[in-house]
């Protein structure tokens, strides 16, 4: 299988070596490694060069981060321009749902329009270079992201760890957008329900590591091998054999990313 979304650069070097070494024993053939800023993008490119054919890097700016200044954005986009042939996708990009909620709790406001303008720049880049996009956009932010994808004529969109309203789910499915399930598919009813309704040919499995999980994964280091458990849970929901589920999730990921 392929872990469709992981922040490999955020692990320690020792853990990275251990993760890559263990992949061959746990049935994992590849990792889509998303980035959070320029330094992260450069680190993931270096990892892709260290482990060719295994690590597939995506470059972008994580939307739950503080708003970058113009110089930082320009440096990142300029670097991405030079490395466009090395990137599998533009990501992780999107909108700051959780940051906005936290700031509201603290009595502060967030300039959402500035984040929308930033997202537009990355979508424009993706459109110009024919790259898929990896989106962090949940709940009401997903509706806005869908509108922007239409405006920039982006057809290949992957909403990772998606959560949202039923009308948004229908819209995304009808437009051919992909989503991915994390290990919380094993214990979150909301995600289980989404897995029942989303088209089976438009789903993938991810870990979003090193983000930690609860349930049967509590206290464990998040590792790519966990997507095997995601596949088993999805198989149970779909009423198919685990091996068929692994094959379908793998082929969906390869098809979407052109691996």
């Amino acid at each position: 299988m392929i872990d469709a979304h992981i922040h490999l650069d955020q692990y320690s070097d020792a853990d990275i070596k251990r993760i890559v070494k263990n992949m061959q024993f746990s049935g994992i053939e590849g990792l889509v490694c998303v980035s959070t800023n320029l330094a992260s993008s450069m680190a993931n490119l270096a990892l892709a060069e260290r482990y060719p054919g295994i690590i597939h890097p995506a470059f972008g700016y994580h939307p739950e981060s503080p708003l970058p200044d113009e110089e930082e954005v320009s440096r990142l986009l300029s670097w991405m321009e030079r490395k466009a042939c090395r990137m599998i996708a533009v990501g992780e990009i999107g909108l700051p749902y959780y940051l906005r909620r936290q700031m509201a709790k603290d009595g502060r406001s967030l300039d959402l329009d500035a984040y929308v303008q930033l997202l537009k720049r990355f979508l424009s880049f993706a459109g110009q270079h024919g790259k898929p996009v990896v989106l962090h956009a949940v709940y009401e932010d997903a509706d806005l992201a869908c509108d922007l994808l239409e405006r920039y004529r982006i057809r290949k969109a992957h909403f990772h760890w998606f959560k949202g309203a039923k009308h948004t789910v229908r819209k995304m499915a009808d437009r051919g957008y992909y989503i991915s399930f994390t290990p919380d598919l094993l214990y979150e009813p909301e995600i289980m329900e989404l897995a029942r309704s989303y088209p089976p040919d438009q789903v993938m499995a991810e870990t979003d590591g090193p983000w930690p999980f609860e349930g049967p994964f509590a206290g464990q280091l998040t590792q790519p091998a966990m997507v095997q458990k995601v596949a088993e849970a999805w198989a149970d929901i779909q009423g198919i054999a685990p091996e068929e589920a692994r094959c379908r999730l793998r082929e969906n990921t390869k098809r979407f990313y052109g691996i």
Side-chain angles (χ1 to χ4, degrees):
M1 289 186 65
I2 297 170
D3 185 338
H5 187 103
I6 185 172
H7 296 269
L8 191 65
D9 64 299
Q10 295 182 11
Y11 289 84
S12 70
D13 194 55
D15 282 338
I16 291 172
K17 292 178 181 177
R18 191 177 303 111
I19 284 170
V20 174
K21 180 180 180 180
N22 290 341
M23 284 171 59
Q24 61 181 309
F25 305 112
S26 55
I28 307 300
E29 66 176 86
L31 312 174
V32 176
C33 297
V34 294
S35 304
T36 55
N37 52 35
L38 177 56
S40 172
S41 298
M42 295 173 72
N44 278 318
L45 177 57
L47 287 170
E49 292 172 344
R50 188 191 308 176
Y51 303 108
I54 296 175
I55 292 174
H56 309 282
F59 307 140
Y61 192 91
H62 199 292
E64 299 287 355
S65 304
L67 193 68
D69 59 31
E70 177 57 34
E71 180 182 359
E72 186 175 1
V73 176
S74 295
R75 286 178 58 211
L76 174 56
L77 288 171
S78 177
W79 184 85
M80 288 170 58
E81 188 76 38
R82 296 193 301 273
K83 305 297 182 181
C85 64
R86 301 300 313 277
M87 61 195 297
I88 199 169
V90 175
E92 180 172 356
I93 58 175
L95 295 168
Y97 179 82
Y98 299 107
L99 178 61
R100 189 167 70 252
R101 286 185 63 189
Q102 184 58 53
M103 290 181 65
K105 288 182 180 178
D106 297 338
R108 297 179 292 154
S109 61
L110 179 145
D111 185 359
L112 181 60
D113 185 64
Y115 280 90
V116 170
Q117 296 306 316
L118 178 63
L119 176 56
K120 287 179 178 179
R121 295 177 71 174
F122 285 109
L123 292 178
S124 177
F125 180 98
Q128 291 172 13
H129 293 275
K131 299 291 183 180
V133 296
V134 188
L135 289 164
H136 170 98
V138 297
Y139 299 114
E140 62 266 25
D141 285 353
D143 293 299
L144 177 53
C146 286
D147 292 342
L148 292 173
L149 289 169
E150 283 288 291
R151 184 183 307 179
Y152 286 90
R153 299 180 180 179
I154 304 293
R155 300 300 177 207
K156 297 190 74 173
H158 170 194
F159 286 74
H160 100 96
W161 203 344
F162 175 74
K163 309 169 190 70
K166 289 183 178 180
H167 75 272
T168 308
V169 171
R170 287 194 297 270
K171 181 193 304 182
M172 289 167 49
D174 290 345
R175 293 182 181 180
Y177 302 151
Y178 282 54
I179 63 173
S180 52
F181 300 115
T182 72
D184 76 344
L185 179 61
L186 279 77
Y187 58 87
E188 285 288 354
E190 177 186 9
I191 306 301
M192 295 175 187
E193 181 59 33
L194 177 61
R196 292 187 187 95
S197 63
Y198 214 79
D201 290 335
Q202 294 167 227
V203 299
M204 300 179 270
E206 61 155 302
T207 61
D208 200 23
W211 188 267
F213 290 92
E214 301 300 325
F217 310 102
Q220 299 181 31
L221 175 69
T222 298
Q223 300 189 51
M226 290 179 180
V227 298
Q228 299 284 7
K229 295 298 183 182
V230 175
E232 292 173 11
W234 188 69
D236 186 59
I237 290 169
Q238 293 291 315
I240 59 177
E243 189 53 42
E244 180 183 349
R246 293 187 187 99
C247 182
R248 294 188 72 169
L249 293 169
R250 171 181 179 270
E251 292 307 310
N252 289 349
T253 308
K254 294 184 73 172
R255 180 174 61 252
F256 180 86
Y257 282 109
I259 297 174

